[in-house]
Amino acid sequence: MSSRPLFSVGINFIVGWGAVLLLVFPIIWMLLTSFKTEIDAISPEASLIFQPTLDNYRAVLGRSNYWMFALNSVGISAAATFLALLIGFPAAYSMAFHPTERTKGTLLWLLSTKMMPPVGVLVPIYILFKDMSLIDTHLGLILLFLVANLPIVVWMLYSFFKDIPRDILEAARIDGAGLWEEFRFILLPLSGPAISSTALLSIILCWNEAFWSINLSTTKAATLAAFIATYSAPQGLFWAKLSAAAVLAVAPVLIMGWVGQRHLVRGLTFGAVK
Amino acid sequence: MNTATPASQLANSIAAPSADNDRSFRNTYLIAPSVAVLLVWISVPTIMTFWFSFQHYNLVNTAGREFVGLDNYIYFFSSSSLAIAAFNSVLIVVGVVVLTIGIGIGLVLLLDIEFPGSSFARVLAISPFFIMPTVAALIWKNLLLDPVNGLFTTILRAVGLPGVDWFGVFPLMSIITIIAWQWVGFSVLILLTALQSLDRELKEAAAMDGAGSFAIFRFIILPHLARPIGIVVMIETIFLLSVFAEIFVTTSGGPGLASTNLSFLIYVQALLRFDVGLASAGGVISIILANVVAYFLAKAVSRSLEI
């Protein structure tokens, strides 16, 4: 490889980086715009050369309700993810280490629940939530995010568990470890990476979820995704503030995605690509 | 699920029947919570949707609620809105899948090569996938595609062309572009991971045997990527049939029905017109459509799933 001519390395460098920068250009543009004044944001002369300002961030963060939306996103994503792991972990454990003839069917059935389009049940969920006073509540969104992510959580954990040699658990059992000891002293320490990657994917999916949060939350329980949607109205004319709010909303998940990239693949492909 | 080793089969046959029962009981209660939660989620609302779809039922005026048989379905199938929305749903899926797979393959071929900063470039390339739909759509709608001040208009003006009202003239194409941008990040993530597991020596050996770049792509890389491509198509299809936020914050389904898909059509009936009966009939149709598509997809790629 080292004998490769410098010229071709140069071409690869230019074409590779050119393509990637073109792809992420909208994000770069959003970041630039977030540091412009509203006037600069819409004037072609100030496209690249402008006096940067933090005013937009001050304005967005100064809105008393911004922090509420951010906290809603954090709280709802965390709670839904925790519940999905709590319910999904035992199921994944059981199917990975003690498979029966029904395991394959169960796994495929879990996956098939993802095939149901949310809009197909929008009406009954709206009516049920209205009757149970769950509209615009944290609990309501947590429940919806839980059922949306549970199949993915089970599949991802299952796929990780399949890579743990079964003999380790068998050995513990022969030594007299009960279910709880097996869980606590063998499986839990071994499944750190599995749990953290699964939690990461679930949090990212919850954070970015827009269908239920737009339709079933208004003020109290609205997440950042729903908050940003309100910028489609006349407020959207304030591009610099929109950009600043957008940067703040996507930054946490973008960073998590960059860090966890490799581990997310397994969950996103139901274990088919690792 | 026939991966049980001979040893464990032997162990099972030796184990006392009581231990076997104990184990199956344990399996049941470990799996039960997940299955129960999803069973409720899948069955209760679906049955309700089905039930409502045969009624005249409007949330604004519940007095006139009555059983009307297939009227809602007849209304949908006789008005052109359903056909247009279903067609748009399919167009979005097909358009985005084709674009993301095509561009995705091109990008991962570029990124699989080592160059200064290539590992950083690989991480950056997946970014669009992590941008929430409402942000992606609003950034494109305003900063890039705005007919007066958007960057595309600025560029067009710089070369002497007039600005274009993208969402007015090409509503569906504009939406497909935005969604495809987001999902290219996904296809790059999956295909790049798959491609990097390809044995480099295989490619080098083929090159030494005189295989050209195209032959290597056609006979080594493409077959290696076939399975991950199938997975990407399946997962994108599932998610893209339900596209909503991108339409909600950009065109609101317009002009007319030009960018309305099934999700948006049902949303309009349900939460803007409060017509439970019609929206439910639409919901049933969307569930059936999704399941038909899912059935064929699952048949095609389920062998790729490792169980």
Side-chain angles (χ1 to χ4, degrees):
Chain A
M1 288 302 242
S2 57
S3 65
R4 209 164 47 155
L6 207 59
F7 175 73
S8 97
V9 176
I11 295 277
N12 290 338
F13 176 80
I14 291 166
V15 176
W17 270 107
V20 169
L21 289 179
L22 201 64
L23 181 67
V24 299
F25 178 77
I27 301 172
I28 298 172
W29 194 243
M30 165 178 83
L31 192 63
L32 280 179
T33 306
S34 74
F35 293 113
K36 293 177 182 176
T37 62
E38 294 293 351
I39 308 271
D40 282 348
I42 56 167
S43 70
E45 295 77 31
S47 285
L48 292 170
I49 300 146
F50 58 91
Q51 184 72 43
T53 170
L54 286 174
D55 284 356
N56 305 308
Y57 288 94
R58 276 189 212 107
V60 172
L61 293 174
R63 283 180 59 159
S64 55
N65 51 7
Y66 173 81
W67 290 103
M68 188 192 72
F69 297 125
L71 277 177
N72 285 345
S73 275
V74 172
I76 292 170
S77 305
T81 298
F82 174 76
L83 286 176
L85 282 169
L86 194 70
I87 300 176
F89 189 96
Y93 157 83
S94 168
M95 288 191 281
F97 295 110
H98 308 290
T100 66
E101 61 280 10
R102 271 175 309 168
T103 298
K104 183 176 183 171
T106 309
L107 275 167
L108 287 176
W109 179 78
L110 291 176
L111 176 59
S112 77
T113 66
K114 281 302 290 174
M115 312 280 181
M116 184 169 70
V119 75
V121 293
L122 172 63
V123 170
I125 293 294
Y126 182 80
I127 290 175
L128 284 172
F129 272 35
K130 205 155 87 60
D131 291 345
M132 296 191 280
S133 308
L134 280 173
I135 288 184
D136 201 19
T137 61
H138 299 92
L139 179 62
L141 286 185
I142 290 169
L143 289 175
L144 289 169
F145 290 4
L146 165 66
V147 292
N149 284 330
L150 186 55
I152 297 174
V153 164
V154 174
W155 266 85
M156 193 165 174
L157 287 173
Y158 171 83
S159 149
F160 272 108
F161 289 164
K162 290 298 275 182
D163 290 348
I164 297 179
R166 267 204 251 172
D167 305 351
I168 297 180
L169 296 188
E170 304 260 337
R173 216 171 302 128
I174 290 166
D175 287 346
L179 181 61
W180 172 247
E181 283 89 8
E182 190 182 316
F183 237 66
R184 171 70 189 80
F185 296 108
I186 316 263
L187 195 56
L188 223 47
L190 276 177
S191 49
I195 293 175
S196 55
S197 324
T198 307
L200 186 70
L201 178 62
S202 170
I203 286 173
I204 290 175
L205 293 175
C206 290
W207 189 276
N208 287 347
E209 202 285 336
F211 181 76
W212 294 117
S213 42
I214 286 175
N215 284 320
L216 294 180
S217 69
T218 46
T219 48
K220 265 176 40 229
T223 61
L224 284 171
F227 163 63
I228 296 288
T230 63
Y231 276 90
S232 63
Q235 282 173 304
L237 299 173
F238 298 105
W239 290 2
K241 283 185 197 66
L242 161 68
S243 300
V247 169
L248 290 171
V250 301
V253 154
L254 196 52
I255 293 165
M256 284 193 257
W258 285 338
V259 174
Q261 175 175 4
R262 290 219 77 120
H263 307 287
L264 300 177
V265 172
R266 186 194 288 261
L268 285 166
T269 59
F270 296 97
V273 177
K274 294 178 211 170
Chain B
M1 186 65 252
N2 291 318
T3 58
T5 60
S8 75
Q9 275 168 357
L10 186 66
N12 279 341
S13 63
I14 293 170
S18 66
D20 238 20
N21 287 339
D22 185 44
R23 178 169 293 181
S24 91
F25 174 70
R26 176 201 273 182
N27 279 343
T28 307
Y29 78 76
L30 289 176
I31 299 174
S34 290
V35 171
V37 164
L38 288 171
L39 197 61
V40 170
W41 161 243
I42 241 8
S43 58
V44 174
T46 311
I47 292 167
M48 286 175 75
T49 304
F50 203 67
W51 175 241
F52 291 148
S53 74
F54 298 113
Q55 296 177 11
H56 176 78
Y57 180 9
N58 193 302
L59 280 180
V60 179
N61 176 20
T62 48
R65 185 172 175 182
E66 60 179 337
F67 187 80
V68 292
L70 291 171
D71 275 12
N72 292 320
Y73 292 94
I74 292 167
Y75 169 86
F76 255 133
F77 281 104
S78 57
S79 83
S80 56
S81 58
L82 178 77
I84 294 172
F87 183 65
N88 287 343
S89 289
V90 173
L91 266 188
I92 290 175
V93 172
V94 173
V96 173
V97 165
V98 168
L99 282 171
T100 52
I101 297 286
I103 298 173
I105 290 177
L107 274 170
V108 298
L109 288 179
L110 288 176
L111 290 172
D112 191 44
I113 306 166
E114 298 295 327
F115 54 82
S118 56
S119 49
F120 184 48
R122 283 176 205 139
V123 172
L124 271 189
I126 57 163
S127 307
F129 180 60
F130 297 112
I131 304 293
M132 57 176 68
T134 49
V135 165
L138 282 177
I139 294 301
W140 275 86
K141 177 195 179 188
N142 293 311
L143 272 53
L144 299 175
L145 297 180
D146 184 83
V148 182
N149 296 316
L151 182 70
F152 283 27
T153 300
T154 306
I155 294 170
L156 284 177
R157 286 222 185 95
V159 296
L161 293 168
V164 176
D165 178 11
W166 301 99
F167 285 103
V169 186
F170 310 107
L172 200 61
M173 255 166 65
S174 305
I175 285 169
I176 288 176
T177 305
I178 297 172
I179 302 170
W181 175 72
Q182 291 177 272
W183 286 86
V184 162
F186 175 74
S187 71
V188 167
L189 175 62
I190 306 303
L191 298 183
L192 194 59
T193 308
L195 188 55
Q196 297 203 309
S197 71
L198 176 63
D199 194 353
R200 260 164 213 286
E201 285 171 18
L202 197 62
K203 275 194 287 182
E204 278 159 26
M208 245 180 272
D209 287 346
S213 307
F214 181 77
I216 291 178
F217 173 72
R218 171 72 187 78
F219 295 108
I220 296 178
I221 295 179
L222 214 50
H224 181 74
L225 288 182
R227 204 174 83 137
I229 287 174
I231 299 283
V232 170
V233 171
M234 180 180 85
I235 287 163
E236 285 193 3
T237 304
I238 293 171
F239 280 93
L240 295 173
L241 276 174
S242 305
V243 161
F244 172 78
E246 290 86 345
I247 298 172
F248 178 82
V249 298
T250 55
T251 62
S252 292
L257 289 171
S259 58
T260 295
N261 67 351
L262 269 180
S263 291
F264 203 80
L265 183 73
I266 296 164
Y267 155 79
V268 169
Q269 294 294 352
L271 296 191
L272 299 184
R273 302 197 182 139
F274 294 104
D275 194 327
V276 170
L278 266 186
S280 297
V284 170
I285 294 166
S286 79
I287 292 174
I288 292 170
L289 176 72
N291 278 288
V292 169
V293 172
Y295 173 78
F296 286 108
L297 279 174
K299 262 187 100 154
V301 297
S302 70
R303 266 174 300 152
S304 305
L305 297 174
E306 263 175 49
I307 303 182

